[in-house]
Amino acid sequence: MISSKKLVALARKWKTMAGIGRRTIAIPSINPKLAKAGHFVVYSLDEGRFVVPLAYLRTNVFKELFRLSEEEFGLPRDGPITLPCDAAVLEYVISMVQRHDSDMLEKALLVLLGSQQCYSTIASQELC
C-alpha cells in the first residue's frame, strides 16, 4: 500500500506533467444564442435581444407583433425573428405582459402597434 505522502507527491507530479505544454484548460461554455427551455428569442429593430417565455405567445400583443413582423419582413427561414419595434417598445410590452396589466391598456397598445407609427424611434427619429 502507498503512503499518503507519496500519493500527494505523485499527484503533484502528475499535475505539473499534465500542465506542461498547456496554457489554458478549455471549459465548455453554453451557447449564448440558445434560449433556456420554455423560452424563445426575438430581436428588435435596433438589434436588441430578448429571451421571452413561451407563455407570452398566447397574448394578443405578441400575436399582433408577430403578424406585423410577418407583414414587414416575411417569415424567417434560417435567421432570427425580428419584431418591428425598437428595444424600448419591446421592453415596455414585455413588462406589461409580466404585470398582467388590464385589458384596456393592452387594447391601447395594440392600437398603437397597429397604427404602424411606432416601428422604431431610430428609423423615424420621433417618439411614439
Side-chain angles (χ1 to χ4, degrees), residues 11-127:
R12 285 185 184 151
K13 184 177 179 182
W14 285 346
K15 183 179 177 183
T16 57
M17 298 271 306
I20 295 174
R22 286 190 184 174
R23 297 201 183 255
T24 60
I25 297 173
I27 298 172
S29 63
I30 298 172
N31 188 348
K33 300 229 178 217
L34 297 177
K36 298 181 283 187
H39 292 73
F40 64 98
V41 176
V42 293
Y43 289 86
S44 62
L45 283 177
D46 53 353
E47 299 179 3
R49 182 178 186 270
F50 296 88
V51 179
V52 183
L54 286 174
Y56 291 7
L57 290 174
R58 287 187 232 123
T59 63
N60 292 330
V61 175
F62 272 95
K63 288 178 186 177
E64 182 68 16
L65 281 171
F66 282 119
R67 188 188 66 75
L68 292 172
S69 176
E70 182 182 1
E71 285 178 8
E72 177 115 357
F73 309 115
L75 293 174
R77 295 185 192 268
D78 293 331
I81 298 173
T82 303
L83 298 180
C85 57
D86 63 356
V89 173
L90 198 50
E91 284 176 7
Y92 178 74
V93 168
I94 291 170
S95 70
M96 185 196 73
V97 173
Q98 283 176 343
R99 290 189 311 245
H100 305 291
D101 280 345
S102 68
D103 291 333
M104 190 65 124
L105 185 58
E106 184 176 314
K107 289 177 185 177
L109 186 59
L110 286 173
V111 168
L112 178 67
L113 292 172
S115 69
Q116 297 183 4
Q117 296 174 0
C118 190
Y119 279 126
S120 173
T121 56
I122 293 174
S124 66
Q125 296 299 319
E126 297 177 2
L127 291 176

